[in-house]
Amino acid sequence: MASKEANLEALLYAAGDSGIEEQNLTALLDVDGEELGQIADKVCQRLAADKDSGIQLIHVAHIYKLTTSPQTAEIIEKYFQKDLTKNLSQSALEILAIVAYRQPITRVEIDDIRGVNSSGALQTLVWRGLIETNGKKEAPGHPKLYVTTDYFLQYFNYQSLADLPLIEDFEDSANNEEIDLFDPKKKADQDTQKEGQ
């Protein structure tokens, strides 16, 4: 059976960038606030003492979360300076499409659509500036709502969200070819050429 320290670390890892509020952690770990603080301190000390660890536990505004440690800032910055199209995974592009078409949307709603946890790829999209949080949903836990950014429009050469291709256009595709949601102008050009033939 895992220790409470291990359970705390696992929960915060699974929660991703949003972290977990104290009151939710006390309920999940079946401890009071004081004991939670002691458990968190042990995890913090262990991570700080391990010179080979690249993560840290932080406590901000009643929320605990795991983040990369300051000593890894250079490599993290290098990672995110690489070309965007070469580093976005298929799952990140999938999440980006979901946010683009269903915004504002919570992480749990995205998870429900995909059937898997989306926190890691969602965090990558936030760090890349393609999506951002915009308020909280009036629901238990007040989860963050995610929307696309102006940079998303700029990157994919859209003037507004109204320029996104209609989902119905893809569903009605006669030849069931694979369609790139983020290159609609290319698809439109191909359709125009076919009509002209």
Side-chain angles (χ1 to χ4, degrees):
M1 186 174 183
S3 68
K4 289 183 178 179
E5 287 82 5
N7 285 336
L8 173 62
E9 195 171 345
L11 285 168
L12 295 180
Y13 176 81
D17 187 49
S18 56
I20 304 178
E21 293 185 4
E22 286 178 11
Q23 61 183 12
N24 293 332
L25 280 173
T26 55
L28 286 164
L29 296 171
D30 195 25
V31 296
D32 59 27
E34 184 179 349
E35 189 177 356
L36 174 61
Q38 293 169 354
I39 295 167
D41 285 344
K42 285 182 183 177
V43 175
C44 282
Q45 290 168 12
R46 178 171 50 78
L47 292 173
D50 183 357
K51 293 181 181 178
D52 293 325
S53 175
I55 58 173
Q56 64 180 355
L57 188 154
I58 63 170
H59 183 208
V60 180
H62 306 292
I63 294 176
Y64 286 93
K65 62 173 73 176
L66 288 176
T67 67
T68 55
S69 61
Q71 68 201 31
T72 63
E74 186 177 330
I75 193 68
I76 296 298
E77 184 177 350
K78 183 178 178 183
Y79 172 74
F80 285 111
Q81 283 177 344
K82 288 187 177 181
D83 184 69
L84 179 67
T85 57
K86 292 180 181 175
N87 287 310
L88 280 182
S89 65
Q90 186 61 40
S91 62
L93 287 171
E94 186 177 296
I95 292 166
L96 188 56
I98 291 169
V99 174
Y101 283 93
R102 299 286 297 271
Q103 61 187 304
I105 188 169
T106 67
R107 194 202 77 194
V108 171
E109 290 168 337
I110 294 169
D111 291 350
D112 286 343
I113 292 169
R114 299 184 66 235
V116 295
N117 187 301
S118 304
S119 60
L122 196 60
Q123 186 174 6
T124 297
L125 292 170
V126 170
W127 283 342
R128 293 301 178 86
L130 291 168
I131 63 173
E132 64 186 356
T133 57
N134 184 14
K136 296 188 176 185
K137 187 170 185 175
E138 289 299 323
H142 299 288
K144 295 177 182 177
L145 289 166
Y146 291 92
V147 296
T148 54
T149 62
D150 289 342
Y151 178 65
F152 164 83
L153 295 173
Q154 175 189 335
Y155 188 85
F156 292 106
N157 200 24
Y158 293 128
Q159 295 297 315
S160 72
L161 291 173
D163 293 335
L164 283 170
L166 296 174
I167 293 292
E168 292 80 9
D169 292 346
F170 300 134
E171 291 172 350
D172 295 339
S173 180
N175 54 9
N176 292 324
E177 65 182 283
E178 187 174 332
I179 299 169
D180 185 352
L181 286 175
F182 298 113
D183 195 6
K185 292 179 174 56
K186 181 179 177 184
K187 178 67 170 59
D189 290 342
Q190 290 172 348
D191 289 343
T192 302
Q193 288 173 0
K194 286 177 185 174
E195 289 170 7
Q197 291 176 354

